[in-house]
Amino acid sequence: MKVSVRHHEILEESLKEELVWIKEEFNILFKFKKENFTKKDKEIANAILDYMLEHTYVYDNIILNNLLFEAMENIEKMYPELF
């Protein structure tokens, strides 16, 4: 069995793709509402972020961990009324 030397690079690339996807999802779901968020919108937004944080494995890699939390903070800054 051959272990990829690029394992951490592959994980980082994969995480970056997921984070781009999640930002696009938030734009699709919430951009048009901008400030007229319902209670359900807030529940959905929080559920999405909770799911991402709980199910995205960064394998104790500080770079991946920082990327993940930076992206989550950026989303929260873009839509502060949701959180």
Side-chain angles (χ1 to χ4, degrees), residues 25-65:
E25 269 313 293
F26 266 81
N27 284 334
I28 290 168
L29 290 171
F30 304 113
K31 188 174 185 174
F32 70 95
K33 293 186 175 186
K34 215 44 176 165
E35 293 183 14
N36 298 322
F37 299 117
T38 65
K39 183 179 178 182
K40 187 69 174 175
D41 292 332
K42 293 176 182 182
E43 290 172 2
I44 291 170
N46 282 293
I48 291 170
L49 289 187
D50 287 346
Y51 183 86
M52 282 294 295
L53 291 171
E54 291 173 10
H55 293 91
T56 302
Y57 301 106
V58 293
Y59 303 99
D60 295 328
N61 183 323
I62 193 73
I63 294 170
L64 298 180
N65 194 34

Side-chain angles (χ1 to χ4, degrees), residues 1-48:
M1 181 174 161
K2 184 177 179 181
V3 177
S4 174
V5 178
R6 295 188 54 226
H7 178 69
H8 292 290
E9 291 174 16
I10 293 168
L11 286 174
E12 187 174 339
E13 290 170 15
S14 176
L15 179 61
K16 285 179 180 179
E17 289 174 7
E18 278 187 58
L19 296 176
V20 167
W21 174 83
I22 196 73
K23 287 177 188 176
E24 290 173 356
E25 269 313 293
F26 266 81
N27 284 334
I28 290 168
L29 290 171
F30 304 113
K31 188 174 185 174
F32 70 95
K33 293 186 175 186
K34 215 44 176 165
E35 293 183 14
N36 298 322
F37 299 117
T38 65
K39 183 179 178 182
K40 187 69 174 175
D41 292 332
K42 293 176 182 182
E43 290 172 2
I44 291 170
N46 282 293
I48 291 170

